[in-house]
Amino acid sequence: MEIIRGMLAIFIAVSLLLYNSSNVEGRSRYHKPKNKSSKNKEPPVSPTPHDAPGHQSPTAPYPNDPGNTSSDYIFNVMDYGAVGDGSTDDTNAFRQAWKEACRVESGVILAPSGYSFMITSTIFSGPCKPGIVFQVDGRLMPPDGPDSWPEKDSTQQWLVFYRLDGMTLTGEGTIEGNGEKWWDLPCKPHRGPNGSTSKGPCVSPALIRFFMSSNLAVSGLKIQNSPQFHMKFDGCEGVLIKKLSISSPKLSPNTDGIHIENTKAVGIYDSSISNGDDCISIGTGCSNVDIDGLTCGPSHGISIGSLGVHNSQACVSNITVRNTIIKESDDGLRIKTWQGGTGCVSDINFENIQMENVRNCIIIDQYYCLSQACLNKTSAVYVTGVTYRNIKGTYDVRTPPIHFACSDAVACTNILLSEVELLPEEGELVDDPFCWNAYGTQETATIPPINCLREGEPKGIREISSYGC
């Protein structure tokens, strides 16, 4: 695990050093845009290297460090016609500011404090010159609900950052999702008559999406009340997230905090997430993910999956979650896969996790299903090398705190438990952990006691490479 962390830190540091060099070489070639840049503005907030104990921080400043950028490169959206009253459509001002900032190195698009900006669904695309910064110090929001959403705009997403290399999203402001009217659509879970769902349009936009981009930094912002996922990363490499606050109500449907898929080399540090779904969800194609210093909940915890839906292949590896608090959540640390999938989940490490009144604190569910019609299949995503170390706190007694439901077809292997101590938040100890076709060991005795793990390895186990990952 230390080797993996070192490799991740080296990858980020080398990439960022290269971008720093290019920024210094090219900076003198660009001049202040006439009548377009703001004067006497404070420099944007700079993300700083993660300083958690045991973490090897990058040795170089971030390539997009707005603290190193002069005001000559700040493109204030107010200078492009933004009104900032919360109701006027300021989309064009943001697009024009982006267009000009994209042309210069270390350009900063500034949404200043003291204003509320409403913009419609927009794709901010590259490639741009290195070091572009999107800084929100005011309030930025989409139209208020589906009835206000322009018909020509996609209802899948709101802000999209596409094909960018070396970009920072930062600021001291708020990105407000205006999600309440989306959550109340009759098709949403438990919104229909008598607690059911109803037919009708149901697609809701993700608030922020990064797609096919690299060397990204996100820091400092407050992001709240998304119609659906708050933040998504798809097809990205080299992502640093630090000191974010993400929040929505506990019953807001499908409002995952941070979702990543097909994304590698990710660090998520010192952040707080509370919402109506997973704090962090990790989809297929993800590897080398380090999560440290997270406060999660109320929520559905931290999830790997769901994986293998519609008989698909899924590969996830080298995931570490440590020094994290999960509270008042329906799940804690969860791996969930569908029957019939293929692929592998390997080298997963959960360490120093504090639980506070959490259901299903530790759960592997290889029978994940959204209806009662799912059948057992003869294939499954292989789960191996999952470590739970120093997991302590309290659980909700409505469900056992430890649940390993592994596939009949493909057993879970190399599960390791050490210093797991979980006590009931209230009521009596539930001393009936569940295991099915799960193989592993205990370095120390657990609370509650778990005697259902099988020793050794099942017959016919294959190498990880044989699963296509």
Side-chain angles (χ1 to χ4, degrees):
M1 184 170 68
E2 293 301 324
I3 294 174
I4 294 167
R5 292 176 191 157
M7 291 175 64
L8 176 60
I10 291 169
F11 172 83
I12 295 174
V14 170
S15 299
L16 301 185
L17 276 168
L18 291 173
Y19 284 108
N20 248 357
S21 299
S22 65
N23 289 352
V24 171
E25 291 171 1
R27 187 166 291 169
S28 62
R29 292 177 294 171
Y30 298 99
H31 303 283
K32 183 174 180 180
K34 295 181 179 180
N35 302 322
K36 292 295 183 181
S37 61
S38 80
K39 300 179 180 179
N40 302 321
K41 294 290 183 182
E42 291 296 320
V45 178
S46 168
T48 55
H50 182 62
D51 53 5
H55 179 74
Q56 184 178 353
S57 297
T59 57
Y62 295 115
N64 316 323
D65 185 350
N68 295 333
T69 304
S70 76
S71 61
D72 288 352
Y73 304 105
I74 295 178
F75 298 85
N76 190 329
V77 296
M78 302 299 289
D79 295 332
Y80 293 82
V83 176
D85 62 1
S87 58
T88 301
D89 185 353
D90 290 323
T91 307
N92 189 60
F94 277 80
R95 290 175 177 171
Q96 290 301 314
W98 175 270
K99 184 177 180 180
E100 292 206 20
C102 186
R103 294 171 177 168
V104 303
E105 294 190 12
S106 303
V108 179
I109 300 92
L110 176 64
S113 61
Y115 298 93
S116 293
F117 302 96
M118 190 279 288
I119 69 173
T120 59
S121 179
T122 300
I123 298 176
F124 296 100
S125 63
C128 293
K129 294 288 187 178
I132 192 165
V133 177
F134 195 110
Q135 176 157 338
V136 180
D137 286 341
R139 192 176 185 89
L140 184 61
M141 68 187 75
D144 187 15
D147 291 341
S148 300
W149 206 263
E151 291 186 7
K152 64 180 178 61
D153 285 357
S154 169
T155 54
Q156 300 274 357
Q157 54 207 10
W158 178 51
L159 295 185
V160 180
F161 298 98
Y162 175 57
R163 288 193 178 277
L164 294 164
D165 200 353
M167 179 204 160
T168 293
L169 173 62
T170 189
E172 297 180 335
T174 298
I175 299 180
E176 166 61 54
N178 286 336
E180 291 86 347
K181 294 178 182 178
W182 296 94
W183 307 332
D184 287 335
L185 289 173
C187 62
K188 295 293 183 177
H190 313 299
R191 294 295 184 181
N194 301 318
S196 63
T197 59
S198 297
K199 294 181 180 180
C202 204
V203 176
S204 301
L207 200 61
I208 302 167
R209 184 188 183 201
F210 289 90
F211 183 45
M212 296 182 65
S213 297
S214 57
N215 300 308
L216 304 168
V218 184
S219 69
L221 291 163
K222 183 176 182 180
I223 303 170
Q224 63 189 29
N225 299 323
S226 176
Q228 202 215 37
F229 291 9
H230 286 77
M231 185 173 290
K232 297 178 69 174
F233 295 84
D234 187 2
C236 298
E237 184 165 4
V239 177
L240 176 66
I241 299 171
K242 185 175 179 182
K243 294 185 178 179
L244 285 189
S245 172
I246 298 176
S247 63
S248 61
K250 186 175 182 179
L251 296 180
S252 56
N254 306 120
T255 52
D256 293 46
I258 299 171
H259 176 75
I260 61 175
E261 59 184 88
N262 300 308
T263 293
K264 300 174 174 60
V266 179
I268 302 173
Y269 304 123
D270 304 329
S271 296
S272 174
I273 302 175
S274 60
N275 57 350
D277 212 302
D278 300 330
C279 283
I280 297 174
S281 55
I282 300 171
T284 187
C286 293
S287 62
N288 300 329
V289 178
D290 187 32
I291 300 168
D292 193 334
L294 178 70
T295 299
C296 167
S299 71
H300 292 182
I302 298 170
S303 288
I304 297 174
S306 62
L307 304 172
V309 65
H310 303 312
N311 304 321
S312 61
Q313 183 185 67
C315 299
V316 175
S317 63
N318 300 336
I319 312 296
T320 297
V321 181
R322 53 199 165 104
N323 306 322
T324 285
I325 298 170
I326 303 176
K327 57 186 179 180
E328 305 294 334
S329 296
D330 287 351
D331 296 287
L333 306 169
R334 178 166 59 160
I335 300 173
K336 51 183 179 178
T337 72
W338 294 77
Q339 285 286 296
T342 59
C344 183
V345 175
S346 63
D347 298 323
I348 312 300
N349 297 281
F350 301 111
E351 183 175 0
N352 301 334
I353 311 295
Q354 180 70 30
M355 303 283 183
E356 298 178 8
N357 195 25
V358 175
R359 297 184 69 179
N360 303 310
C361 295
I362 294 172
I363 178 169
I364 297 176
D365 179 10
Q366 292 210 274
Y367 300 88
Y368 184 72
C369 181
L370 297 179
S371 70
Q372 301 297 321
C374 299
L375 301 175
N376 282 1
K377 302 288 183 68
T378 57
S379 65
V381 177
Y382 176 39
V383 177
T384 185
V386 185
T387 296
Y388 303 91
R389 191 180 300 278
N390 195 28
I391 315 296
K392 297 181 179 180
T394 61
Y395 61 89
D396 185 322
V397 297
R398 287 178 291 175
T399 53
I402 302 173
H403 186 97
F404 296 131
C406 299
S407 171
D408 290 334
V410 182
C412 305
T413 64
N414 296 321
I415 297 171
L416 176 64
L417 299 171
S418 178
E419 298 180 84
V420 175
E421 299 177 8
L422 298 168
L423 298 171
E425 175 71 14
E426 58 183 23
E428 296 188 9
L429 181 72
V430 178
D431 57 355
D432 188 24
F434 178 82
C435 303
W436 181 259
N437 211 17
Y439 289 76
T441 58
Q442 299 178 63
E443 283 188 345
T444 63
T446 64
I447 301 175
I450 179 168
N451 301 311
C452 54
L453 279 178
R454 296 184 180 185
E455 296 181 354
E457 291 188 347
K459 294 180 180 180
I461 197 71
R462 297 180 287 160
E463 295 293 328
I464 291 176
S465 59
S466 69
Y467 291 90
C469 296

